[in-house]
Amino acid sequence: TQVLRKSLQRGIVLSTGSFLVYEAHKLISGFAEVHASFKVEDVIEQADYLYGSGETEKLYRLLVQHKNSDDAELLWRLARSSRDLAQLGSTSAEEKKQLTYDSLEYAKKALEKNESNFAAHKWYGICLSDVGDYEGIKTKIGNAIIIKEHFQRAVELNPKDATTIHLIGVWCYSFAEMPWYQRKIAATLFATPPTSTFQEALRYFHMAEEADPNFYSKNLLFLGKTYLKLNNKKMALLWLSKAKEYPAQTEEDKQV
């Protein structure tokens, strides 16, 4: 029920007939190269069904066939799918690294194809941040402004996307709690180093919750953590309790 609810929130509409057609196609082709006549809309519909069902590996196998596509909607979904596959515990360290860099390339290509696609900006920012984990703290901080700019552009294009608003909150939280040695690195990279406060982070987390109440376990967690940073234990307990009681559907929910 929870998966279906989340899927419907994403605006996914999949008829029983189209799903059966997809299943038949999958059995016949064995995920072979899709013919040119295969409609992009059909692939997106199938991809969104698999995403809503948590079928990470099947989704990746479907979308990677379209890595040379010129369609931004397919490409950002492939970036997201590659990243999700990288996050699985069964994925080896070597595969995870390759998938992380691949996801950035797919998101970058999606942006090149359609600069007005909010999801392309969102996933480019996420994937650029992930790559920074492999290239060191200097690169990660150096990319910080670019990442925030893409998140802000995504929100401009789609003000109701709660996840992107949450990500700006995480960005603010990260800079608010940045240790002194990382601040020194930031000072060497920028004439005016990026800074933020826990109050600013809190504002974005609440904005995300207003856009889509109870949409994400991690937003509830960060609301609680931020209130703790601000020494408001009463509000921290409220939000941490909500995070604890959140129905755990994904591995991330369980970690929260």
Side-chain angles (χ1 to χ4, degrees):
T1 303
Q2 185 72 8
V3 168
L4 180 59
R5 186 181 69 80
K6 287 185 176 180
S7 297
L8 290 172
Q9 283 178 340
R10 295 188 184 96
I12 298 165
V13 180
L14 187 76
S15 67
T16 303
S18 61
F19 176 63
L20 291 173
V21 169
Y22 166 54
E23 288 297 311
H25 168 78
K26 183 178 72 175
L27 289 170
I28 295 166
S29 67
F31 283 105
E33 190 68 37
V34 178
H35 295 296
S37 60
F38 207 79
K39 291 183 180 178
V40 168
E41 293 81 3
D42 292 339
V43 180
I44 290 172
E45 186 177 45
Q46 294 154 18
D48 287 346
Y49 178 85
L50 290 172
Y51 181 75
S53 303
E55 295 281 3
T56 305
E57 294 179 18
K58 288 182 182 178
L59 175 59
Y60 175 78
R61 290 201 299 270
L62 171 69
L63 289 175
V64 77
Q65 297 175 86
H66 303 278
K67 64 182 180 180
N68 295 320
S69 171
D70 290 331
D71 192 282
E73 289 291 331
L74 279 177
L75 291 166
W76 75 253
R77 283 173 170 81
L78 177 55
R80 179 183 65 184
S81 174
S82 301
R83 183 181 187 271
D84 287 348
L85 188 60
Q87 302 294 318
L88 292 182
S90 57
T91 304
S92 70
E94 185 178 347
E95 289 174 322
K96 180 175 181 176
K97 184 176 181 180
Q98 184 61 55
L99 285 164
T100 300
Y101 278 88
D102 286 349
S103 65
L104 179 61
E105 285 304 308
Y106 300 141
K108 182 180 178 182
K109 188 178 175 184
L111 268 182
E112 290 169 354
K113 298 302 177 184
N114 186 357
E115 195 278 334
S116 296
N117 187 300
F118 90 94
H121 284 280
K122 170 181 172 177
W123 287 100
Y124 183 80
I126 293 170
C127 296
L128 185 60
S129 178
D130 288 345
V131 165
D133 293 337
Y134 291 100
E135 300 191 351
I137 192 66
K138 194 169 183 178
T139 298
K140 199 166 182 71
I141 294 173
N143 287 335
I145 295 295
I146 300 169
I147 291 166
K148 189 179 183 184
E149 285 173 351
H150 281 284
F151 288 159
Q152 289 175 325
R153 178 64 177 144
V155 172
E156 285 174 12
L157 292 165
N158 185 0
K160 294 185 178 181
D161 185 54
T163 310
T164 309
I165 300 169
H166 163 82
L167 290 168
I168 299 175
V170 173
W171 189 98
C172 295
Y173 186 98
S174 300
F175 275 93
E177 73 164 359
M178 181 178 282
W180 67 269
Y181 66 90
Q182 290 185 8
R183 291 185 189 279
K184 281 191 84 171
I185 294 172
T188 65
L189 295 173
F190 302 99
T192 306
T195 59
S196 190
T197 64
F198 291 117
Q199 287 88 348
E200 187 178 15
L202 187 68
R203 182 168 64 86
Y204 280 108
F205 294 139
H206 274 298
M207 283 171 60
E209 207 61 30
E210 288 166 13
D212 190 0
N214 211 42
F215 75 103
Y216 188 26
S217 60
K218 211 163 188 178
N219 198 61
L220 303 176
L221 176 65
F222 267 99
L223 276 162
K225 288 174 66 174
T226 309
Y227 272 116
L228 274 179
K229 292 288 187 181
L230 295 170
N231 295 315
N232 188 333
K233 292 185 179 179
K234 182 179 179 181
M235 290 301 292
L237 180 61
L238 170 69
W239 290 104
L240 291 173
S241 296
K242 288 185 178 185
K244 182 175 180 293
E245 293 161 8
Y246 192 90
Q249 295 293 329
T250 66
E251 191 58 38
E252 189 173 50
D253 293 336
K254 293 172 187 175
Q255 291 170 3
V256 165

